[in-house]
Amino acid sequence: MKPTVEQISNLLALKHTEHPDAEYWQEFICEFHRNQRENSVKKSGLTNFITFMFSWFSDLGPSKWAYGAGVAYAAVTVAFFLTPNDVVTESAPASHVNFQVIPAPAPPTVGQLNQLDLSPSTQGNAGEQVF
């Protein structure tokens, strides 16, 4: 049997006047905040990370495989460019450094230069020899 419209309006009017006690609301708020704190503690930490990773890998789609492949390719490329080459260098043996300055020896004189006549009267004729 279906209730009539009058019965429904009477029921709504009756329920409109009913309100829970203030103590009920205080307990409700305390329980609500306690549940929020418990949920925040559950969401942080290593167990949440492991749960997240497990759910992420269990629902792998093509886009996640592409993201994973891209990240792996980038990591390998960065590792390739950042690893140093295996260059073997041999250090030279240590030697004593002498700070004494030795003057260069005087160059030997050339005999042909003494035969040149560089006087002003012989301009253009420097005593070249024709071979």
Side-chain angles (χ1 to χ4, degrees), residues 6 15 116 129:
E6 258 181 50
K15 291 297 180 184
L116 292 177
Q129 295 180 359

Side-chain angles (χ1 to χ4, degrees), residues 26-45:
Q26 187 64 32
E27 288 178 18
F28 175 78
I29 290 173
C30 289
E31 185 179 343
F32 176 75
H33 287 291
R34 189 184 74 238
N35 288 337
Q36 276 188 329
R37 283 191 299 271
E38 287 175 1
N39 288 339
S40 67
V41 167
K42 287 179 184 177
K43 287 183 180 179
S44 64

